[in-house]
Amino acid sequence: MYESSAFFCAPYIWEEVIGRKPAATMPPNPRTRLIYETPDLTEYTEEVALDVWPDVIAYGILVLPKNLKPGEQRPVVVCQHGLEGHPSEAADPRTSDGYMHHFAVKLAQEGFITFAPQNPYIGRDNFRIIQRLAHPLELSLFAFVIGQHERVLEWLSGQRYVDAKQIAFYGISYGGKTAVRVPPFVDRYAVSICTADFNEWVWKTTSVESATTFFCPNTTCMNSTSPTSSTTPNLPC
């Protein structure tokens, strides 16, 4: 049902809403380096960088269980961080994080291979400048993200320990936005999970009263009733 309906809808959304970039024009030229090995030898972690277009790379952190057997192939979960996030929040337990909870590492401890990519929604308003510059070209920020994920999945699918038919996407917060804007257009994803992206976006981007607004004037919200609740005075932003 989904595939038959998406056959007609997906090309329009990709071309007219997100914007479609040409496929990667650069050889991947993979660069990797070991970051750390856990003392209990459950996994080791590598940084990975891949070329996509001139001046555009795909970067992320790969976490591999150490109990992989020769010739064994395992499913992969691509673990996407949220707004202003970094792959280390999902994939490096040495970092402090109160939101991602290093879920890429925990999944690796359960036996999955995981990869945490860097998405470009960082730098406060800098990524929104890219978005505005892209709009006259009939593109959006996620037009570039799709190309980065295509390159990552191309590389992952070529690794001897990866089951290329079982690659899933798991996005948290702004990573949840990625979950509905990237996997529908990238054939190699077998499943996509959107989580923790459930705020009311209209109130979040327009209201000065909502508990989840981006527009709190001070460190606490205005002492008034939230549009989404009748009893929410002085809520922290």
Side-chain angles (χ1 to χ4, degrees), residues 53 80 119-121 140-150 178 182:
W53 298 289
Q80 191 64 67
N119 266 10
Y121 37 72
S140 70
L141 187 73
F142 281 96
F144 302 94
V145 176
I146 288 173
Q148 291 173 312
H149 278 251
E150 286 180 325
T178 308
V182 172

Side-chain angles (χ1 to χ4, degrees), residues 26 53-57:
M26 304 284 288
W53 298 289
D55 300 320
V56 177
I57 68 168

Side-chain angles (χ1 to χ4, degrees), residues 186-214:
V186 180
D187 291 339
R188 285 189 168 99
Y189 279 124
V191 66
S192 178
I193 299 170
C194 169
T195 188
D197 183 39
F198 308 123
N199 287 157
E200 171 50 60
W201 192 247
V202 173
W203 291 125
K204 196 176 187 71
T205 57
T206 61
S207 172
V208 295
E209 298 177 338
S210 171
T212 62
T213 183
F214 284 145

Side-chain angles (χ1 to χ4, degrees), residues 5 15 45-46 60 66 71 90 111 121 136-137 189 210 230:
S5 61
E15 296 280 352
T45 303
E46 292 181 332
K66 278 200 165 181
Y121 37 72
L137 304 176
Y189 279 124
S210 171
S230 58

Side-chain angles (χ1 to χ4, degrees), residues 28-42:
N29 185 27
R31 287 89 72 197
T32 65
R33 66 176 181 178
L34 183 68
I35 301 177
Y36 75 97
E37 297 184 60
T38 53
D40 58 2
L41 303 180
T42 55

